[in-house]
Amino acid sequence: MTVKILAISGSLRSGSYTTALARASAELAPESAEVALYEGLASIPAFDQDLEPGRTPEAVARLRRQIEDADAILLLTPEYNASIPGALKNAVDWASRPHGTSALMGKPAAIVSSSPSPFGGAWANQHLRRILSITGTPVVETELAVGKVDAKVGDDGELRDAATRERLASLLAELEELAAEVGRAHAEEQLV
Ligand code: FNR
């Protein structure tokens, strides 16, 4: 069975390093997994609790469907002012609703942060992990923070750094394993 992974980049910038890592993840996933890139972040409106339930914006419904249809999600984030970008937090807020039965509830996830700084957006990485702990989203143990990312991605957007390619491939394998575990647990629940 192919494990479907949805990669969500938190950057809207056309030359984004974060999105370059998302594209690289499609090449680096295990053979038994496939990575699709989420493309709709720019069209998600600001979260408005008055719109729930029943008046879900179409772009939000699409995001939720894409997360639901995936076996796992890979969240890739830049660091803005020591946290994650507002656009990504906004998308996570929408996807976290309805509380308790949301698309994010129980969905296996992995996090990649990156930055031109040597720290690789470690604060953003930790903030996102904290947020996902509240949304009921299990996250793989490994924390991948890619520092000096501007030296690791070429002008053509290719991830060139061999060590980072290896770390990303290993994270994806860990995510696939977590997705398989969660899948087995669901199957067992259905047998009971
Ligand atoms: C940044 N940047 C940044 N970098 C960092 O390591 N820590 C930080 O707190 C911030 N803060 C920050 C705030 C804002 C508003 C911007 C626009 C940028 C720099 C950031 O890491 C850099 O621009 C990355 O290249 C952005 O990621 P993408 O768009 O290349 O994926």
Side-chain angles (χ1 to χ4, degrees):
M1 192 198 90
T2 304
V3 174
K4 291 190 287 176
I5 299 173
L6 182 68
I8 302 177
S9 166
S11 175
L12 300 177
R13 194 169 74 85
S14 51
S16 162
Y17 299 120
T18 310
T19 307
L21 296 179
R23 279 195 301 266
S25 68
E27 293 166 26
L28 297 169
E31 261 181 29
S32 46
E34 64 183 28
V35 176
L37 262 56
Y38 171 67
E39 310 266 8
L41 191 66
S43 41
I44 304 279
F47 180 77
D48 179 352
Q49 208 175 350
D50 282 345
L51 298 181
E52 59 178 12
R55 291 163 60 205
T56 309
E58 184 45 40
V60 172
R62 258 198 312 274
L63 168 66
R64 288 178 179 162
R65 265 199 310 274
Q66 282 186 256
I67 295 173
E68 276 159 7
D69 289 348
D71 299 304
I73 53 174
L74 179 69
L75 294 167
L76 304 104
T77 185
E79 183 167 273
Y80 284 0
N81 298 313
S83 188
I84 68 171
L88 182 59
K89 177 63 161 59
N90 183 53
V92 168
D93 288 342
W94 275 115
S96 73
R97 307 288 290 175
H99 181 66
T101 58
S102 77
L104 286 176
M105 186 85 195
K107 185 68 59 178
I111 299 170
V112 179
S113 63
S114 65
S115 167
S117 98
F119 304 106
W123 282 321
N125 199 305
Q126 287 160 16
H127 280 191
L128 188 49
R129 186 174 287 266
R130 170 100 182 114
I131 291 162
L132 295 179
S133 76
I134 301 300
T135 60
T137 309
V139 180
V140 301
E141 263 178 45
T142 300
E143 182 179 310
L144 179 51
V146 181
K148 300 188 175 169
V149 68
D150 52 331
K152 293 174 177 164
V153 171
D155 291 340
D156 55 0
E158 279 285 312
L159 175 59
R160 302 212 180 285
D161 183 65
T164 306
R165 291 181 74 86
E166 218 167 277
R167 288 167 75 204
L168 187 51
S170 157
L171 185 78
L172 286 157
E174 196 177 336
L175 179 58
E176 189 202 32
E177 181 48 39
L178 179 63
E181 258 171 50
V182 168
R184 279 195 296 273
H186 281 168
E188 275 166 27
E189 265 167 35
Q190 277 163 2
L191 288 177
V192 178

